Amino acid sequence: MTDKISIAADVLVLGGGPAACWAALAARESGHDVAMVDKGYVGTSGATAPSNTGTWFATSLERRAKLIEERQKSAEGLADLRQMHRVIDTATQHLHVLAERGYPFPHDDDGKLYIANMRGPDYMRFMRMLAIRAGVKIFDHHPALELLVSGDTVAGAAGYARQLDNRWEAKASAVVIATGGCAFGSRILGTTGLTGDGYLMAAELGATLSGMEFSSQYGIVPLDSSVNKGLPYGWASFYRADGSEIDIPPGERFLRLAQASLEGGIFARLDRATGVLPDALRRGQPNCFLPFARAGINPFEEIFPISLRSEGTVRGTGGLKRTDDDCSVGIPGLYAAGDALERQDIAGAATGGGGPNASWAIATGIWAGKGASAFAFSIGARGAGRKVSPAGQAGLRPAAGEKDTVDPVEVLSLVREEMLPIDGNFFRSGAKLATSLDRLDGVWSSLRDHARGSGHAALRLREAASLVATSRWAKRSAEARTETRGMHRRTDKPASDTAFLRRNLITGIDAPVLTWDRPTARALAS
């Protein structure tokens, strides 16, 4: 490798999905130099780019009140009413900004702008174009491996330029982490690179995470594919291997399917979509139907095998804890947005998948970009000349002696074994959580003490460290919440408990410390 690549910016954004793009635009429009570094290619990487995505918006007070009422019910007491209002209002405003800037939203039968849905490839291609036009410097295939600090303040990041096989270092006055969630290696659509990197980088500086027990959302995938888009299954009938139909009471689809999957194979047929619906679904959700086309199956007439695939914190709600409205995370100069942040504010114990998460990415991206800009403005020219030091540990700077004993492929396999199965993660118990933590703690010790890599090896080891750290936070948080609430299901504690109407906070990596936030408004009222 040649001398490292040097990057300088007022605001540095880590990531390339919608939250990262909105953060970069907000910072740039605040008058600052902005750079984006992404593990993949900004506009195609991440979970949004290959998907259709709904939005969470309201053009009337009545609609907003209805949306919030629905969310409060599913959140099971852990959402924040004020933040829900903020997200809906900010997202609605900026969806209209997208239209004003030329995004091709269609119009409904009444001629009104239809902003309820966006095609992921079009949306992300448009966001990349907006960022380039605004003057954002984009560095594709430049995954960040660690943060840089100056004293107790974040001062940039460093990483690896994959296509150039070289190191890079970016100095900045403020940093926004928008690296997405963690899919625990499940390989659902668009998540291969979502390994929890931002969580680990922030935690190495003392940032707190919250809601990590809510990391057990699952999606339906057909024919052992990666396509976890759930909309068409609203018109499905479900079956066991013996052909008997699975009874699905309202609101219990995933629970009943998970129970049936433990007994044997599960199957589906989209036979409740009749009339014009099949054609509409094919046109509206084209990537959902590619696996069927390739297999020569008509899913509206034929029964096909399905499985449940973990969606981790991508569709879960855990992530870095926001400490203020500007999406700062408690470390001077560091902000977070999108799935890198916990989403209990809008989803509580349930998934925010689809519309709420998409609007969360818009709103938090804007808030984080503006927050980072304000911080950069506050330190002014002092930011450019600061001496910096790297903060990364596991996979880069072993705590003990370096040994060639850590294989990132084997680490990924272990994480998958502990985080993906229905029996152990969808359905949890104290005994199974303790057994998982023993294995995860052991591999973490090896990573922390002995793993060191450079170039591509460093990238894979840091991904492995992030996966294990995130898994440990999730399991330890689940162990502490001795009840069942939302997607967190304890077979040994099947009832909910009002004592747990509060959020779980976890800080630290080697020996995580778990505490509880103040009771929610619902708890105080009960």
Side-chain angles (χ1 to χ4, degrees), residues 136-484:
V136 175
K137 293 174 285 188
I138 295 178
F139 296 86
D140 298 309
H141 306 293
H142 279 58
L145 302 184
E146 61 182 331
L147 293 170
L148 304 176
V149 294
S150 177
D152 64 352
T153 303
V154 172
Y160 172 60
R162 295 168 57 194
Q163 294 181 329
L164 302 174
D165 189 26
N166 202 358
R167 296 176 299 129
W168 60 262
E169 180 180 276
K171 293 184 178 181
S173 298
V175 174
V176 177
I177 291 177
T179 49
C182 181
F184 302 115
S186 69
R187 301 188 71 87
I188 54 174
L189 202 60
T191 64
T192 301
L194 299 182
T195 51
D197 309 339
Y199 302 154
L200 179 60
M201 287 187 275
E204 287 173 328
L205 299 182
T208 294
L209 297 100
S210 182
M212 295 304 291
E213 66 270 40
F214 302 121
S215 56
S216 50
Q217 180 66 23
Y218 282 67
I220 299 171
V221 299
L223 307 173
D224 200 31
S225 70
S226 63
V227 181
N228 60 313
K229 303 290 102 179
L231 180 66
Y233 297 97
W235 291 274
S237 298
F238 299 96
Y239 305 90
R240 299 177 183 84
D242 63 7
S244 62
E245 187 169 353
I246 303 170
D247 181 44
I248 309 286
E252 295 190 10
R253 180 196 301 168
F254 288 102
L255 175 62
R256 294 303 180 96
L257 291 178
Q259 291 169 335
S261 73
L262 295 178
E263 302 167 0
I266 53 176
F267 301 80
R269 179 169 53 198
L270 307 180
D271 53 357
R272 299 184 184 184
T274 59
V276 299
L277 267 175
D279 183 59
L281 286 170
R282 283 192 172 103
R283 287 186 290 107
Q285 302 276 324
N287 58 354
C288 292
F289 294 92
L290 283 175
F292 302 114
R294 290 168 179 162
I297 291 173
N298 181 346
F300 299 99
E301 297 180 359
E302 299 176 62
I303 291 177
F304 53 90
I306 60 171
S307 58
L308 298 184
R309 191 80 60 86
S310 172
E311 298 176 323
T313 68
V314 180
R315 301 289 193 276
T317 61
L320 294 167
K321 178 176 170 55
R322 177 186 53 78
T323 57
D324 209 335
D325 283 351
D326 62 2
C327 293
S328 53
V329 294
I331 313 297
L334 187 61
Y335 301 79
D339 292 350
L341 277 177
E342 55 98 358
R343 283 136 287 156
Q344 293 171 101
D345 283 340
I346 60 168
T351 180
N357 275 2
S359 291
W360 175 261
I362 295 171
T364 57
I366 291 161
W367 301 336
K370 289 181 177 180
S373 294
F375 188 87
F377 181 79
S378 72
I379 65 173
R382 290 185 293 115
R386 293 180 294 177
K387 290 184 178 180
V388 301
S389 57
Q393 298 299 317
L396 297 174
R397 298 171 187 88
E402 179 183 354
K403 295 181 181 178
D404 188 20
T405 57
V406 181
D407 182 347
V409 175
E410 292 180 359
V411 172
L412 174 59
S413 178
L414 183 143
V415 167
R416 284 173 169 163
E417 289 172 7
E418 297 304 324
M419 299 305 296
L420 302 187
I422 296 290
D423 187 17
N425 197 47
F426 189 101
F427 296 115
R428 295 163 165 170
S429 70
K432 290 177 181 176
L433 289 166
T435 300
S436 283
L437 280 168
D438 283 344
R439 295 190 73 198
L440 291 165
D441 288 347
V443 76
W444 173 258
S445 295
S446 295
L447 277 163
R448 176 199 61 207
D449 290 344
H450 304 304
R452 183 201 299 272
S454 60
H456 187 264
L459 169 61
R460 292 301 175 227
L461 284 170
R462 284 295 274 177
E463 287 181 329
S466 300
L467 284 162
V468 174
T470 305
S471 300
R472 293 172 72 235
W473 289 318
K475 293 286 188 179
R476 194 150 271 117
S477 297
E479 188 178 48
R481 186 174 284 280
T482 52
E483 64 157 359
T484 289

Side-chain angles (χ1 to χ4, degrees), residues 56-70 72 81 84-86 88-90 92 96 112:
W56 204 42
F57 72 97
T59 52
S60 69
L61 294 176
E62 293 77 14
R63 176 178 167 82
R64 187 175 68 172
K66 181 180 179 182
L67 290 175
I68 289 175
E69 180 182 6
E70 292 171 348
Q72 283 184 304
L81 182 62
M84 285 194 282
H85 280 276
R86 290 185 72 220
I88 291 174
D89 291 349
T90 302
T92 302
H96 283 94
K112 296 179 181 178

